[in-house]
Amino acid sequence: LHLSGQASTAFVKSGGDVTQYSYDAGHATFAWQLDVFGDAMISDNIAFLSSARMLQDRVLHVDQFSIRVAHISPIDLTLEAGEIALPIGNLGDRRYPLRNPFFHLPLTNEHLTTLRGDNYQLWPFDERYTTTGIGVRLLDQGLYDLGLKIYGNAGPLDYAIALADGSPSLSSAYSTQGLNPDNQISPMIRAGITPVIGLTAGFSYAYSEWSYQPAYSPYSSSTESTVFPQHLMEADVQFAAGHLTTYAQGIYTIWKTRSVYGDDLRAAGYSVEAEYAPLPRWRVAARAGGIYFNSPVLELPGYSTALYHTGRWDHNVVRYEGSVGYRMTPESLLKLAFEWTHTFDRIPDPNQRLTVVQAVVRF
């Protein structure tokens, strides 16, 4: 039985413009996060894995809760079932503060789109929904979900196949009762290769089906639900040499909403980061990310007369980040991080700045 964790506290100051990237309307404030990991070896091949997270909202979130059975076949396959880590991307341990040189995850894991996650309605440019946190992301923050995963490796190749209850864009973990009845079982695959030491490249694909239920409207009596699929493709690369480590990721996703809105929703995103240790205990890092949306012709339902929207279905956005970290001990880190986010075609102030001082300890 092994119990460990990470605790962090931060001083945060953002710009005063109220967006999904602002903190406390721009007032200086504090934030904290606690991650606890509990693992148990049942036998040589069977293990129990768990992780829980709590933020300043003081709500306990169980991210991982699974049983892992290793060496289930002559080709060294591993089976994991329960609340599993989805085989998408190369985020890995960088989702936790001690390994993340920045305050946030990559922009592709953070940005909330105007496609609402509660009933999958689309509200172009209406930030009342994104600021309240009910928009759908390109990639969910935790990337954990209920499901089954089989993975293994063969020399330089590694692979994984998973069936999950939700989608990489919106997992079912924090839905009502921990389940999402509107989603079908979603298949996901990942393949990676490490041709030389320090270089790893991977590709992921996920397919999911969303059940769209029209909201009540005094202008429309339609209550028929429509199922539309999502295709998500992801490619990533990781390279390490000496004191330098780099990560890059690209995402392309299609929500097949032609049957509902008259056209499909598409989005592409990227994230590139580098971390370098110039001196013992010191490290500096920089990251750039962006998300770009297509310009469909959409018919928005629920009105007495047809309402059409032309142009991008969400604002393009880019973010640039930098940080300086000092490792006080092997178990503690102090870092200063900056963010600059630019949202295109949004009025007023399209820029959002964030400054963070964060302390992290591992126990």
Side-chain angles (χ1 to χ4, degrees):
L1 179 65
H2 181 69
L3 186 67
S4 62
Q6 295 182 21
S8 66
T9 182
F11 173 79
V12 185
K13 178 66 173 71
S14 69
D17 192 20
V18 180
T19 70
Q20 59 177 286
Y21 310 112
S22 62
Y23 273 74
D24 200 16
H27 303 294
T29 187
F30 292 89
W32 62 269
Q33 178 174 336
L34 175 66
D35 293 279
V36 179
F37 314 104
D39 305 327
M41 292 300 300
I42 311 303
S43 68
D44 291 340
N45 297 338
I46 302 176
F48 165 75
L49 309 174
S50 69
S51 67
R53 175 171 52 92
M54 183 179 291
L55 305 176
Q56 56 269 10
D57 59 4
R58 292 174 288 181
V59 176
L60 180 65
H61 302 283
V62 178
D63 285 334
Q64 186 176 23
F65 196 92
S66 65
I67 299 295
R68 183 183 66 193
V69 182
H71 312 302
I72 61 175
S73 73
I75 59 174
D76 201 20
L77 287 178
T78 297
L79 171 68
E80 187 176 348
E83 191 78 17
I84 60 173
L86 301 183
I88 303 292
N90 61 357
L91 187 59
D93 288 343
R94 290 183 296 125
R95 71 190 70 194
Y96 302 113
L98 197 65
R99 284 281 290 113
N100 182 10
F102 310 99
F103 181 63
H104 283 123
L105 299 181
L107 182 64
T108 49
N109 295 84
E110 296 280 354
H111 179 76
L112 295 167
T113 70
T114 56
L115 181 62
R116 292 174 59 182
D118 54 352
N119 59 5
Y120 306 106
Q121 284 192 307
L122 183 66
W123 297 80
F125 305 122
D126 194 335
E127 296 182 357
R128 290 179 299 171
Y129 302 107
T130 57
T131 53
T132 55
I134 60 175
V136 175
R137 295 179 172 90
L138 269 67
L139 289 178
D140 210 352
Q141 289 179 310
L143 281 178
Y144 290 98
D145 213 333
L146 288 171
L148 174 72
K149 178 171 63 175
I150 297 177
Y151 58 95
N153 60 76
L157 300 175
D158 61 87
Y159 48 87
I161 301 174
L163 297 174
D165 183 54
S167 159
S169 296
L170 187 64
S171 70
S172 65
Y174 304 144
S175 302
T176 303
Q177 297 179 345
L179 303 171
N180 192 339
D182 292 333
N183 284 6
Q184 307 294 322
I185 297 297
S186 302
M188 306 174 193
I189 60 173
R190 176 171 174 81
I193 184 171
T194 305
V196 296
I197 296 177
L199 175 63
T200 300
F203 172 80
S204 306
Y205 171 78
Y207 174 87
S208 60
E209 292 185 348
W210 305 92
S211 178
Y212 165 81
Q213 182 69 41
Y216 170 77
S217 169
Y219 305 112
S220 174
S221 59
S222 174
T223 58
E224 285 189 30
S225 62
T226 303
V227 174
F228 59 87
Q230 178 192 3
H231 300 272
L232 186 145
M233 291 150 283
E234 182 272 347
D236 56 77
V237 63
Q238 174 183 344
F239 176 72
H243 301 293
L244 175 68
T245 305
T246 60
Y247 300 89
Q249 182 182 60
I251 300 170
Y252 183 71
T253 185
I254 305 172
W255 286 276
K256 304 290 288 186
T257 58
R258 188 177 301 272
S259 60
V260 177
Y261 296 116
D263 213 337
D264 295 335
L265 308 179
R266 303 170 185 262
Y270 75 92
S271 177
V272 179
E273 67 181 81
E275 184 179 2
Y276 182 71
L279 296 169
R281 299 194 178 194
W282 289 91
R283 66 182 187 181
V284 294
R287 180 165 66 190
I291 301 177
Y292 304 92
F293 302 89
N294 70 323
S295 300
V297 178
L298 304 173
E299 180 181 353
L300 305 182
Y303 296 87
S304 55
T305 58
L307 178 63
Y308 290 91
H309 170 81
T310 58
R312 300 188 187 277
W313 62 277
D314 202 347
H315 297 288
N316 292 345
V317 59
V318 295
R319 174 185 287 172
Y320 303 103
E321 303 171 70
S323 76
V324 178
Y326 178 71
R327 181 80 64 170
M328 295 176 286
T329 69
E331 292 77 26
S332 60
L333 172 67
L334 181 66
K335 58 186 173 183
L336 173 65
F338 304 92
E339 290 182 9
W340 183 82
T341 305
H342 176 75
T343 304
F344 293 89
D345 302 320
R346 190 177 67 82
I347 300 174
D349 184 16
N351 300 324
Q352 183 64 263
R353 295 173 177 84
L354 185 73
T355 303
V356 179
V357 179
Q358 186 179 35
V360 188
V361 295
R362 177 176 57 196
F363 56 88

